[in-house]
Amino acid sequence: MAAASPGQSPAAGSSKPASRGRSGTTSRKQRSLFRRRRLGAHTFQSADEFDTIAVLGTGSFGKVFEVAHKQTQERFALKVLDWAEMQRLDMIDQLEAEKHIMRKLGQHPHIVGLLATWTSATDLYMLLQLVPGTDLFEIVRAHKVVPPPRAARYIAQIARGLDYVHHKHIIYRDLKLENLLLNEATDSVLLTDFGLAKDVHSRNGKTKTICGTIQYMSTEVLAGMPYNYRVDWWCLGVVLFVLMVGKYPYGQVRF
């Protein structure tokens, strides 16, 4: 993958998360894609405002870091995306759609919030709410099954988040254990990663793109038929099944 900072892996305690060594001029499209966003009374302008605490994850075109704001010491998740690599993979429009959707969703108790965005000459930055804990995939892998009362509580929380997403006329399209973060401090679940989400602009708006994770896909999606927000409820049923049984509904794959 293209690391967010080529040739460097920011260590815990380093003062500058994923900044580039080379200089350059930010393109007009790049500037318009990620204009600076205000969080409270402060407008973030640079990764230099944060200390890196840890690397939380690595993807195809960037990394996610746990960071602390130098002035306030408040913790966040900072997603750093390689602009050139995203152009090469033709991912710019998808990123723009994800940013639009997360801004439209705003803040909700069961959705990871987008707090700010900005650019450098070579990278795109998304400052996100930090969820202290793990995802439900790791919970199932560690414990095999989740006790029914706990599973019911998690499903109810996910359903509240999904219902909010749908009322904003958005189809999530990638509901799965890996995208459900458990805040261990509050024992609450939050939806994250809206890279495949679709704004259909009305409650019953439809789309027909085949996307998602195959173990969770509904029959309509797999068949290439038009579908609406109800496919997300199918995915939630799969999540419930896995939490209770410890395997996917189809096949014999166990965690």
Side-chain angles (χ1 to χ4, degrees):
M1 69 144 276
S5 182
Q8 298 179 353
S9 295
S14 64
S15 61
K16 188 176 181 182
S19 62
R20 294 294 191 124
R22 68 180 188 269
S23 61
T25 302
T26 306
S27 71
R28 181 179 300 175
K29 185 174 183 180
Q30 187 175 350
R31 289 196 302 270
S32 65
L33 175 65
F34 268 26
R35 298 186 187 279
R36 294 168 185 167
R37 302 293 295 172
R38 183 175 296 275
L39 175 60
H42 188 84
T43 301
F44 295 112
Q45 302 182 45
S46 169
D48 292 331
E49 299 178 51
F50 301 89
D51 289 324
T52 300
I53 306 302
V55 178
L56 298 177
T58 300
S60 300
F61 37 81
K63 290 185 178 181
V64 181
F65 301 89
E66 180 180 350
V67 298
H69 191 254
K70 290 180 178 179
Q71 291 185 353
T72 66
Q73 293 304 304
E74 189 172 358
R75 300 289 182 93
F76 303 98
L78 181 62
K79 182 185 290 188
V80 185
L81 304 170
D82 185 311
W83 171 254
E85 185 68 6
M86 293 199 68
Q87 281 188 312
R88 187 184 71 81
L89 296 173
D90 196 25
M91 297 291 291
I92 299 301
D93 289 343
Q94 181 176 325
L95 181 62
E96 174 66 28
E98 180 181 4
K99 183 192 67 170
H100 159 76
I101 284 170
M102 294 195 72
R103 286 182 181 172
K104 186 175 182 179
L105 291 174
Q107 305 301 305
H108 186 274
H110 298 295
I111 294 173
V112 174
L114 175 65
L115 305 175
T117 60
W118 70 90
T119 65
S120 70
T122 53
D123 294 307
L124 310 174
Y125 296 85
M126 300 176 72
L127 191 70
L128 302 162
Q129 174 186 355
L130 179 67
V131 180
T134 186
D135 58 58
L136 292 190
F137 182 90
E138 294 300 329
I139 294 293
V140 173
R141 187 159 67 173
H143 302 285
K144 306 307 178 188
V145 295
V146 175
R150 190 179 180 193
R153 184 166 64 253
Y154 292 166
I155 291 296
Q157 294 171 0
I158 299 165
R160 285 194 287 272
L162 268 186
D163 189 56
Y164 175 79
V165 169
H166 295 158
H167 274 87
K168 293 289 187 176
H169 306 149
I170 293 165
I171 309 174
Y172 188 21
R173 301 202 299 185
D174 201 20
L175 182 65
K176 59 182 179 180
L177 296 176
E178 295 91 330
N179 286 344
L180 297 168
L181 303 185
L182 176 64
N183 186 328
E184 294 178 343
T186 60
D187 200 35
S188 60
V189 178
L190 291 82
L191 284 64
T192 191
D193 193 348
F194 288 84
L196 294 182
K198 176 75 172 179
D199 188 345
V200 291
H201 307 293
S202 68
R203 178 67 174 177
N204 291 307
K206 292 186 176 183
T207 186
K208 60 184 300 184
T209 304
I210 300 175
C211 64
T213 302
I214 192 165
Q215 292 92 338
Y216 297 85
M217 286 184 183
S218 72
T219 53
E220 295 93 335
V221 176
L222 288 170
M225 299 169 57
Y227 58 86
N228 62 14
Y229 69 92
R230 292 181 177 89
V231 298
D232 289 337
W233 297 115
W234 173 287
C235 297
L236 185 61
V238 176
V239 169
L240 175 60
F241 186 95
V242 176
L243 292 179
M244 298 290 293
V245 181
K247 69 173 186 175
Y248 295 111
Y250 311 107
Q252 299 301 314
V253 178
R254 289 186 175 271
F255 289 78

